[in-house]
Amino acid sequence: MSKLDGKIALVTGGSSGLGLAMARRFTEEGAFVYITGRRQSELDKAVASIGDNVAGVQGDVQRSEDIDRLVERIRAEKGRIDVLVANSGMVAPQLLADATDENFDRTFGVNVRGVYFTVDRALSLLGRGSSVILVSSIAANKGVPGYGTYSASKAAVRSFSRTWTAELLERGIRVNTLSPGPFDTPIMDGQADTPEGGDAVRAKWAAAVPMKRLGRPEELAAAALFLASDESSYVAGIDLIVDGGASAL
């Protein structure tokens, strides 16, 4: 029997990268998965690449009205959410000396506000035995020049999982954090202005990992599956780090 047979899952930011890999793995394990993304064209490609048991809902997690529309669609079509992965995130490196309001507001709007209100709005569809997975980052516990807003936003996500574990355990809802290290996803390209720059970013991060390579999205999806499934029924409030040893060595 598959590990998520009959489950209803929501993966925000599921149109590419880590979110897409998690959504694909969940469907392979028997779940029906809703994925979100800001760009309809990319969302359509993601849905087509997964195939069956998936639906795409366009929206921006910074907009409460988009989250409300998403939740109401799931309520009307399925009536519940068994697995919620708050994965939407962005990174735009910027040194403190170059700080802008736009960078700060967008980073915290997506990475913090988006997570906060996605889980808040979805609470009415989460029942006993459901699993909430918040995607943070090992950057939450590191000091990397240029990543001040990103690292702080991911530290806030880790804090949410602790607080919400305390708030929701009596309702039978488990909340855990999944913290990836450097992974080979399109977010790497977003940190450079050219394809060559993207390759340089990848090489820099791969060199910083003890395993000397970037993670593969399917490797994070495997960890997410553990937290989503009943195999982690006695796991709550943890930070599951998947980083090739980068934060340990």
Side-chain angles (χ1 to χ4, degrees):
M1 187 172 97
S2 298
K3 295 179 179 179
L4 297 179
D5 270 345
K7 301 284 189 181
I8 307 301
L10 166 61
V11 180
T12 65
S15 59
S16 67
L18 300 179
L20 178 57
M22 288 185 280
R24 178 177 289 114
R25 183 63 189 275
F26 288 0
T27 62
E28 290 170 353
E29 293 290 339
F32 185 96
V33 182
Y34 288 88
I35 62 173
T36 72
R38 290 184 300 107
R39 295 170 295 175
Q40 187 66 55
S41 60
E42 295 302 306
L43 197 58
D44 291 342
K45 291 177 186 176
V47 169
S49 74
I50 294 173
D52 298 328
N53 296 318
V54 61
V57 182
Q58 187 278 333
D60 184 342
V61 294
Q62 297 180 91
R63 295 168 52 87
S64 293
E65 55 267 39
D66 286 2
I67 299 173
D68 289 338
R69 175 168 49 83
L70 165 67
V71 170
E72 289 311 308
R73 175 169 169 181
I74 299 174
R75 188 191 311 278
E77 295 179 355
K78 301 296 183 181
R80 71 181 197 278
I81 297 173
D82 302 304
V83 180
L84 168 58
V85 183
N87 168 72
S88 289
M90 58 85 65
V91 54
Q94 187 173 74
L95 293 168
L96 177 61
D98 302 322
T100 63
D101 290 352
E102 191 278 334
N103 178 275
F104 183 94
D105 291 344
R106 183 161 177 253
T107 301
F108 274 78
V110 174
N111 294 359
V112 181
R113 178 188 172 89
V115 169
Y116 189 90
F117 285 105
T118 295
V119 178
D120 167 66
R121 297 301 201 273
L123 268 181
S124 61
L125 295 182
L126 293 167
R128 186 163 295 276
S130 59
S131 173
V132 176
I133 303 168
L134 310 182
V135 179
S136 181
S137 167
I138 63 169
N141 297 311
K142 298 180 75 69
V144 182
Y147 289 78
T149 54
Y150 177 74
S151 297
S153 70
K154 291 302 186 178
V157 171
R158 175 65 184 122
S159 180
F160 285 158
S161 72
R162 291 189 178 100
T163 302
W164 294 344
T165 293
E167 291 183 4
L168 300 177
L169 272 180
E170 286 190 0
R171 294 177 52 176
I173 300 170
R174 296 183 299 108
V175 183
N176 290 289
T177 306
L178 186 60
S179 289
F183 272 76
D184 191 1
T185 71
I187 204 168
M188 290 286 180
D189 297 312
Q191 300 175 56
D193 297 324
T194 65
E196 294 76 17
D199 291 340
V201 170
R202 284 178 168 84
K204 179 189 76 171
W205 286 114
V209 176
M211 288 187 176
K212 300 305 177 188
R213 67 173 177 86
L214 299 177
R216 299 185 297 272
E218 59 268 23
E219 292 175 310
L220 191 78
L225 176 61
F226 168 69
L227 293 178
S229 74
D230 292 339
E231 291 191 354
S232 61
S233 58
Y234 197 54
V235 177
I238 72 161
D239 185 17
L240 179 54
I241 295 172
V242 186
D243 69 350
S247 60
L249 303 179

